[in-house]
Amino acid sequence: MSMILLMIRMKVISEKRMELSQTIASLIVSIRTEKGCERCDFCQSVEDENELCLLGEWDTHENLKSHLESERFRVLRGALNLLREPYDMTFHTVFNPGGNGGDLRNSHCRNR
């Protein structure tokens, strides 16, 4: 059994934090209804209120790929123009054979 974790780390321009947060919060509701989405959370750093993170858990690579090609994700990427530096998007495939520990395989891409 495996799942795919998607993590998008963002550093937003302070004056645009509320605008970006509202956009992402409105998208999360519909992202959670997409096929294969097990979880989607939007977080803010306790150390720096301008550091935000979007976390998603997906059941298959195919469903994650469909999400990444969706209109919702295009809207999200458009909203990321409010960042003070490029976002950092990371994928992790987690294998958990029988619940006896797991193997974590990572891939990482940085938007430039």
Side-chain angles (χ1 to χ4, degrees):
M1 187 95 189
S2 67
M3 72 174 154
I4 300 92
L5 303 176
L6 168 63
M7 181 184 309
I8 303 174
R9 294 177 187 256
M10 304 160 264
K11 292 186 179 180
V12 67
I13 298 167
S14 180
E15 299 79 29
K16 299 293 186 175
R17 184 180 63 251
M18 183 60 71
E19 181 181 345
L20 179 63
S21 295
Q22 289 173 341
T23 300
I24 292 174
S26 70
L27 288 171
I28 282 180
V29 174
S30 58
I31 290 171
R32 288 177 178 150
T33 66
E34 288 185 36
K35 180 179 178 187
C37 180
E38 301 289 332
R39 181 177 186 152
C40 187
D41 295 314
F42 182 47
C43 308
Q44 182 179 41
S45 170
V46 294
E47 287 116 6
D48 181 348
E49 62 186 8
N50 295 316
E51 289 187 19
L52 308 173
C53 186
L54 185 61
L55 303 168
E57 293 180 13
W58 296 85
D59 63 350
T60 66
H61 286 94
E62 293 78 21
N63 286 333
L64 173 58
K65 183 176 186 269
S66 178
H67 166 66
L68 295 175
E69 294 171 350
S70 73
E71 180 62 27
R72 288 180 189 106
F73 193 74
R74 279 191 284 280
V75 170
L76 173 64
R77 288 187 61 156
L80 296 180
N81 288 325
L82 301 173
L83 300 179
R84 68 177 189 230
E85 58 187 62
Y87 64 88
D88 184 49
M89 185 164 59
T90 307
F91 303 87
H92 303 275
T93 302
V94 180
F95 297 93
N96 191 359
N100 296 327
D103 174 25
L104 183 65
R105 299 184 185 188
N106 301 306
S107 72
H108 185 89
C109 78
R110 184 177 296 269
N111 178 31
R112 302 242 181 235

